[in-house]
Amino acid sequence: MINRKHHHNNASRAGISLVEVAVSILIVGLLLVTSLQALGHVTKGKNETADVVRAQHLCRQMLAEVLATAYEEPVDTPVFGREAAETALKRDKYDDVDDFNGWHVGPPSDELRFVLPGFSGAWSRQVTVDLVTAADPSVVAGSDEGVKRVKITIWKSGSILAEMVALRSNKY
């Protein structure tokens, strides 16, 4: 009889209890949730990095377009900003650097206002042009000293993703 009772206790301990199963499921669930959160952070970081790279590309593209124009109005009397025939919306008529001053559009588009593929929605870009002193281009000048500072800013959902600044001189 003693052997039988002892044998019966060993047999009942051979299985897994319901509490042990519940604890195991809880631990596996927590590990799964933690793994998914980590994967989400990695994916979000990857998307943010891709957006910054795309924003830098937009900056370079816009900066190249602005710097490809003349320093000052090639036909009419030079005036800082857009001349009468140049509208704020269609930049295909811009023929000098300061015509771009204050230009802001979202989503980013080409010269004819066609939205660039992949940039619809929350993307926007802006150009600021300032007359600056030749001695210190960080100082805005009261008159034209022969140097203009061009700043391109790219936003997505209200956050600045990229900015680039270049100087344009009236001397090549």
Side-chain angles (χ1 to χ4, degrees):
M1 219 24 132
I2 296 174
N3 287 342
R4 225 173 179 191
K5 187 176 182 183
H6 182 67
H7 179 67
H8 181 67
N9 285 342
N10 285 341
S12 67
R13 291 295 301 154
I16 300 174
S17 73
L18 187 58
V19 173
E20 291 170 327
V21 170
V23 169
S24 298
I25 290 172
L26 181 64
I27 291 171
V28 169
L30 288 174
L31 289 173
L32 183 61
V33 167
T34 304
S35 298
L36 289 174
Q37 286 177 338
L39 181 62
H41 289 298
V42 167
T43 303
K44 182 180 177 187
K46 179 181 172 188
N47 290 340
E48 288 172 354
T49 300
D51 283 349
V52 168
V53 169
R54 295 174 73 205
Q56 290 171 343
H57 174 73
L58 281 175
C59 272
R60 283 190 297 276
Q61 178 189 29
M62 192 73 223
L63 201 53
E65 181 181 333
V66 173
L67 296 178
T69 61
Y71 177 82
E72 61 186 4
E73 181 62 33
V75 180
D76 298 327
T77 304
V79 179
F80 189 84
R82 293 179 199 96
E83 286 69 40
E86 301 160 343
T87 67
L89 296 177
K90 288 190 75 179
R91 68 183 197 269
D92 62 325
K93 303 282 187 219
Y94 294 0
D95 56 3
D96 62 283
V97 173
D98 56 70
D99 289 346
F100 289 89
N101 185 44
W103 181 83
H104 183 233
V105 69
S109 59
D110 62 15
E111 296 88 351
L112 300 175
R113 295 179 41 197
F114 292 106
V115 174
L116 297 174
F119 292 102
S120 60
W123 289 84
S124 65
R125 61 182 170 176
Q126 179 178 1
V127 180
T128 306
V129 180
D130 291 309
L131 296 170
V132 295
T133 63
D136 184 357
S138 67
V139 176
V140 175
S143 61
D144 191 352
E145 294 187 18
V147 181
K148 294 178 182 176
R149 181 180 60 213
V150 179
K151 178 176 155 185
I152 312 294
T153 307
I154 308 295
W155 284 276
K156 183 178 181 190
S157 301
S159 297
I160 295 175
L161 293 183
E163 283 187 320
M164 289 186 182
V165 177
L167 299 175
R168 177 66 191 268
S169 169
N170 63 357
K171 296 178 178 31
Y172 295 103

Coordinates of all heavy atoms in Angstrom, one line a residue, residues 113-163:
R113 N 3.9 72.9 -62.0 CA 2.9 72.7 -60.9 C 2.4 71.3 -60.9 O 1.3 71.0 -60.3 CB 1.8 73.7 -60.9 CG 2.3 75.1 -60.6 CD 1.2 76.2 -60.6 NE 0.0 75.8 -60.0 CZ -1.2 76.4 -60.2 NH1 -1.2 77.4 -60.9 NH2 -2.2 76.0 -59.6
F114 N 3.1 70.3 -61.5 CA 2.7 68.9 -61.4 C 3.3 68.3 -60.1 O 4.5 68.5 -59.9 CB 3.1 68.1 -62.6 CG 2.4 68.5 -63.9 CD1 3.0 69.2 -64.9 CD2 1.0 68.1 -64.0 CE1 2.3 69.6 -66.0 CE2 0.3 68.5 -65.2 CZ 1.0 69.2 -66.2
V115 N 2.5 67.7 -59.3 CA 3.0 67.2 -58.0 C 4.1 66.1 -58.3 O 3.8 65.2 -59.2 CB 1.9 66.6 -57.2 CG1 2.4 65.9 -55.9 CG2 0.9 67.7 -56.7
L116 N 5.2 66.1 -57.6 CA 6.2 65.1 -57.8 C 5.8 63.8 -57.3 O 5.2 63.7 -56.2 CB 7.5 65.6 -57.1 CG 8.2 66.8 -57.7 CD1 9.4 67.2 -56.8 CD2 8.6 66.7 -59.1
P117 N 6.0 62.7 -58.0 CA 5.6 61.4 -57.5 C 6.1 61.0 -56.2 O 7.3 61.3 -55.9 CB 6.1 60.4 -58.6 CG 6.5 61.3 -59.8 CD 6.7 62.6 -59.3
G118 N 5.2 60.6 -55.3 CA 5.6 60.1 -54.0 C 5.7 61.2 -52.9 O 6.1 61.0 -51.8
F119 N 5.3 62.5 -53.3 CA 5.4 63.6 -52.4 C 4.0 64.3 -52.1 O 4.0 65.4 -51.7 CB 6.4 64.6 -52.8 CG 7.8 64.1 -52.8 CD1 8.4 63.7 -53.9 CD2 8.5 64.1 -51.6 CE1 9.8 63.3 -53.9 CE2 9.8 63.6 -51.5 CZ 10.4 63.2 -52.7
S120 N 3.0 63.6 -52.4 CA 1.7 64.2 -52.1 C 1.4 64.2 -50.6 O 2.1 63.6 -49.8 CB 0.6 63.3 -52.8 OG 0.6 62.0 -52.3
G121 N 0.4 65.0 -50.3 CA 0.0 65.0 -48.9 C 0.7 66.0 -48.0 O 0.8 67.2 -48.4
A122 N 1.4 65.6 -47.0 CA 2.0 66.4 -46.0 C 3.3 67.1 -46.3 O 3.9 67.8 -45.5 CB 2.1 65.6 -44.7
W123 N 3.9 66.9 -47.5 CA 5.2 67.4 -47.8 C 5.0 68.9 -48.3 O 4.0 69.2 -49.0 CB 5.8 66.6 -49.0 CG 6.3 65.3 -48.6 CD1 5.5 64.1 -48.5 CD2 7.6 64.9 -48.2 NE1 6.3 63.1 -48.1 CE2 7.6 63.5 -47.9 CE3 8.8 65.6 -48.1 CZ2 8.7 62.8 -47.6 CZ3 9.9 64.9 -47.7 CH2 9.9 63.5 -47.4
S124 N 6.0 69.7 -48.0 CA 6.0 71.1 -48.6 C 7.5 71.6 -48.6 O 8.3 71.0 -47.9 CB 5.1 72.0 -47.8 OG 5.6 72.2 -46.5
R125 N 7.7 72.6 -49.4 CA 9.1 73.2 -49.5 C 8.9 74.7 -49.7 O 8.0 75.2 -50.2 CB 9.9 72.5 -50.6 CG 9.4 72.6 -52.0 CD 10.4 71.8 -52.9 NE 9.8 71.7 -54.2 CZ 10.5 71.1 -55.2 NH1 11.7 70.7 -55.1 NH2 9.9 71.0 -56.4
Q126 N 10.0 75.3 -49.2 CA 10.0 76.8 -49.3 C 11.4 77.3 -49.6 O 12.4 76.7 -49.3 CB 9.6 77.3 -47.9 CG 9.6 78.8 -47.8 CD 9.2 79.4 -46.5 OE1 8.9 78.6 -45.6 NE2 9.2 80.7 -46.3
V127 N 11.4 78.4 -50.3 CA 12.7 79.1 -50.7 C 12.7 80.5 -50.0 O 11.7 81.2 -50.1 CB 12.8 79.2 -52.2 CG1 14.1 79.9 -52.6 CG2 12.7 77.9 -52.9
T128 N 13.8 80.8 -49.4 CA 14.0 82.2 -48.9 C 15.3 82.7 -49.5 O 16.3 82.0 -49.5 CB 14.1 82.1 -47.3 OG1 12.9 81.5 -46.8 CG2 14.2 83.5 -46.8
V129 N 15.2 83.9 -50.0 CA 16.4 84.6 -50.6 C 16.6 85.9 -49.8 O 15.7 86.7 -49.7 CB 16.3 84.8 -52.1 CG1 17.5 85.5 -52.6 CG2 16.0 83.5 -52.8
D130 N 17.8 86.1 -49.3 CA 18.2 87.3 -48.6 C 19.4 88.0 -49.2 O 20.3 87.3 -49.7 CB 18.5 87.0 -47.1 CG 17.3 86.6 -46.3 OD1 16.3 87.3 -46.4 OD2 17.4 85.6 -45.7
L131 N 19.4 89.3 -49.3 CA 20.6 90.0 -49.6 C 21.5 90.0 -48.3 O 21.0 90.3 -47.2 CB 20.3 91.5 -49.9 CG 19.4 91.7 -51.2 CD1 19.0 93.2 -51.3 CD2 20.2 91.3 -52.4
V132 N 22.7 89.6 -48.5 CA 23.6 89.5 -47.3 C 24.9 90.3 -47.5 O 25.2 90.6 -48.7 CB 23.9 88.0 -46.9 CG1 22.7 87.3 -46.5 CG2 24.6 87.3 -48.1
T133 N 25.6 90.5 -46.4 CA 26.8 91.3 -46.6 C 27.9 90.3 -47.1 O 27.9 89.2 -46.8 CB 27.3 91.8 -45.2 OG1 27.6 90.8 -44.3 CG2 26.2 92.8 -44.6
A134 N 28.8 90.9 -47.9 CA 29.9 90.2 -48.5 C 30.9 89.7 -47.5 O 31.4 88.6 -47.5 CB 30.6 91.0 -49.6
A135 N 31.0 90.5 -46.4 CA 32.0 90.2 -45.4 C 31.5 89.1 -44.5 O 32.3 88.3 -44.0 CB 32.3 91.5 -44.5
D136 N 30.2 89.0 -44.2 CA 29.6 88.0 -43.4 C 28.3 87.6 -43.9 O 27.3 88.3 -43.6 CB 29.5 88.5 -41.9 CG 29.0 87.5 -40.9 OD1 28.7 86.3 -41.4 OD2 29.0 87.8 -39.7
P137 N 28.2 86.5 -44.6 CA 26.9 86.1 -45.3 C 25.8 85.7 -44.3 O 24.7 85.5 -44.7 CB 27.3 84.9 -46.1 CG 28.8 85.0 -46.3 CD 29.3 85.7 -45.1
S138 N 26.1 85.7 -43.0 CA 25.1 85.4 -42.0 C 24.3 86.6 -41.6 O 23.3 86.6 -41.0 CB 25.7 84.7 -40.8 OG 26.5 85.6 -40.1
V139 N 24.8 87.8 -42.1 CA 24.2 89.1 -41.8 C 23.4 89.6 -43.0 O 23.9 89.7 -44.1 CB 25.3 90.2 -41.4 CG1 24.6 91.5 -41.1 CG2 26.0 89.7 -40.2
V140 N 22.1 89.9 -42.8 CA 21.3 90.4 -43.8 C 21.7 91.8 -44.1 O 21.8 92.6 -43.2 CB 19.8 90.3 -43.4 CG1 18.9 90.9 -44.5 CG2 19.4 88.8 -43.2
A141 N 21.8 92.2 -45.4 CA 22.3 93.5 -45.8 C 21.1 94.4 -46.1 O 20.0 93.9 -46.5 CB 23.2 93.4 -47.0
G142 N 21.3 95.7 -45.9 CA 20.2 96.6 -46.2 C 20.1 96.9 -47.7 O 19.1 97.4 -48.2
S143 N 21.2 96.6 -48.4 CA 21.2 96.9 -49.9 C 22.0 95.7 -50.5 O 22.6 95.0 -49.9 CB 21.8 98.2 -50.2 OG 23.1 98.3 -49.8
D144 N 22.0 95.7 -51.8 CA 22.7 94.6 -52.6 C 24.2 94.9 -52.6 O 24.7 95.8 -53.2 CB 22.1 94.6 -54.0 CG 22.6 93.3 -54.7 OD1 23.4 92.6 -54.2 OD2 22.1 93.1 -55.9
E145 N 24.9 94.0 -51.9 CA 26.4 94.0 -51.9 C 27.0 93.0 -52.8 O 28.2 92.7 -52.7 CB 26.9 93.8 -50.4 CG 26.5 95.0 -49.5 CD 27.1 94.8 -48.1 OE1 28.1 94.1 -48.0 OE2 26.6 95.5 -47.2
G146 N 26.2 92.4 -53.6 CA 26.7 91.4 -54.6 C 26.6 89.9 -54.1 O 27.1 89.1 -54.8
V147 N 25.9 89.7 -53.0 CA 25.8 88.3 -52.5 C 24.3 88.1 -52.0 O 23.8 88.9 -51.3 CB 26.7 88.0 -51.3 CG1 26.6 86.6 -50.8 CG2 28.2 88.3 -51.7
K148 N 23.8 87.0 -52.5 CA 22.4 86.6 -52.1 C 22.5 85.2 -51.4 O 23.2 84.3 -51.9 CB 21.5 86.5 -53.2 CG 21.2 87.9 -53.9 CD 20.3 87.8 -55.1 CE 20.1 89.2 -55.7 NZ 19.3 89.1 -56.9
R149 N 21.8 85.0 -50.3 CA 21.8 83.7 -49.6 C 20.5 83.1 -49.9 O 19.4 83.6 -49.7 CB 21.9 84.0 -48.1 CG 21.9 82.7 -47.3 CD 22.0 82.9 -45.8 NE 20.9 83.7 -45.3 CZ 21.0 84.6 -44.3 NH1 22.1 84.9 -43.7 NH2 19.9 85.3 -44.0
V150 N 20.6 81.8 -50.4 CA 19.4 81.1 -50.8 C 19.2 79.9 -49.8 O 20.2 79.2 -49.5 CB 19.5 80.5 -52.2 CG1 18.3 79.6 -52.6 CG2 19.8 81.6 -53.2
K151 N 18.0 79.8 -49.2 CA 17.8 78.8 -48.2 C 16.6 78.0 -48.6 O 15.5 78.6 -48.9 CB 17.5 79.4 -46.8 CG 17.2 78.4 -45.7 CD 17.1 79.1 -44.4 CE 16.2 78.4 -43.4 NZ 16.0 79.2 -42.2
I152 N 16.7 76.7 -48.7 CA 15.6 75.8 -49.1 C 15.3 75.0 -47.8 O 16.1 74.4 -47.1 CB 16.1 74.8 -50.2 CG1 16.8 75.5 -51.3 CG2 14.9 73.9 -50.6 CD1 15.9 76.4 -52.1
T153 N 14.0 74.9 -47.5 CA 13.5 74.2 -46.4 C 12.4 73.2 -46.8 O 11.5 73.5 -47.6 CB 12.9 75.1 -45.3 OG1 13.8 76.2 -45.0 CG2 12.5 74.4 -44.0
I154 N 12.5 71.9 -46.3 CA 11.6 70.9 -46.7 C 10.9 70.4 -45.4 O 11.5 70.2 -44.4 CB 12.3 69.7 -47.3 CG1 13.1 70.1 -48.5 CG2 11.2 68.6 -47.7 CD1 12.4 70.6 -49.7
W155 N 9.5 70.4 -45.4 CA 8.7 70.0 -44.3 C 7.9 68.7 -44.7 O 7.6 68.5 -45.8 CB 7.7 71.0 -43.9 CG 8.1 72.2 -43.2 CD1 8.3 72.3 -41.9 CD2 8.5 73.5 -43.7 NE1 8.7 73.6 -41.5 CE2 8.8 74.3 -42.7 CE3 8.5 74.0 -45.0 CZ2 9.2 75.6 -42.9 CZ3 8.8 75.3 -45.2 CH2 9.2 76.1 -44.2
K156 N 7.7 67.9 -43.6 CA 6.7 66.9 -43.8 C 5.9 66.9 -42.5 O 6.4 66.8 -41.4 CB 7.3 65.5 -44.0 CG 6.2 64.4 -44.2 CD 6.8 63.1 -44.5 CE 5.7 62.1 -44.7 NZ 6.2 60.7 -44.7
S157 N 4.6 67.0 -42.6 CA 3.6 67.0 -41.4 C 4.1 68.1 -40.4 O 4.0 67.9 -39.2 CB 3.6 65.7 -40.8 OG 3.1 64.7 -41.7
G158 N 4.5 69.3 -40.9 CA 4.9 70.4 -40.0 C 6.2 70.3 -39.4 O 6.6 71.2 -38.7
S159 N 7.0 69.3 -39.6 CA 8.3 69.1 -39.1 C 9.4 69.3 -40.2 O 9.2 68.8 -41.3 CB 8.6 67.7 -38.5 OG 7.7 67.5 -37.4
I160 N 10.4 70.1 -39.9 CA 11.5 70.3 -40.9 C 12.3 69.1 -41.0 O 12.8 68.6 -40.0 CB 12.4 71.5 -40.5 CG1 11.6 72.8 -40.5 CG2 13.6 71.6 -41.4 CD1 12.3 74.0 -40.0
L161 N 12.4 68.5 -42.2 CA 13.2 67.4 -42.4 C 14.6 67.7 -43.0 O 15.6 67.0 -42.8 CB 12.5 66.4 -43.4 CG 11.3 65.7 -42.9 CD1 10.7 64.8 -43.9 CD2 11.5 65.0 -41.6
A162 N 14.7 68.8 -43.8 CA 16.0 69.2 -44.4 C 16.0 70.7 -44.7 O 15.0 71.3 -45.0 CB 16.2 68.4 -45.6
E163 N 17.2 71.2 -44.5 CA 17.5 72.6 -44.9 C 18.8 72.7 -45.6 O 19.8 72.0 -45.2 CB 17.5 73.5 -43.7 CG 16.1 73.9 -43.2 CD 16.2 74.9 -42.1 OE1 17.1 74.9 -41.2 OE2 15.3 75.8 -42.1

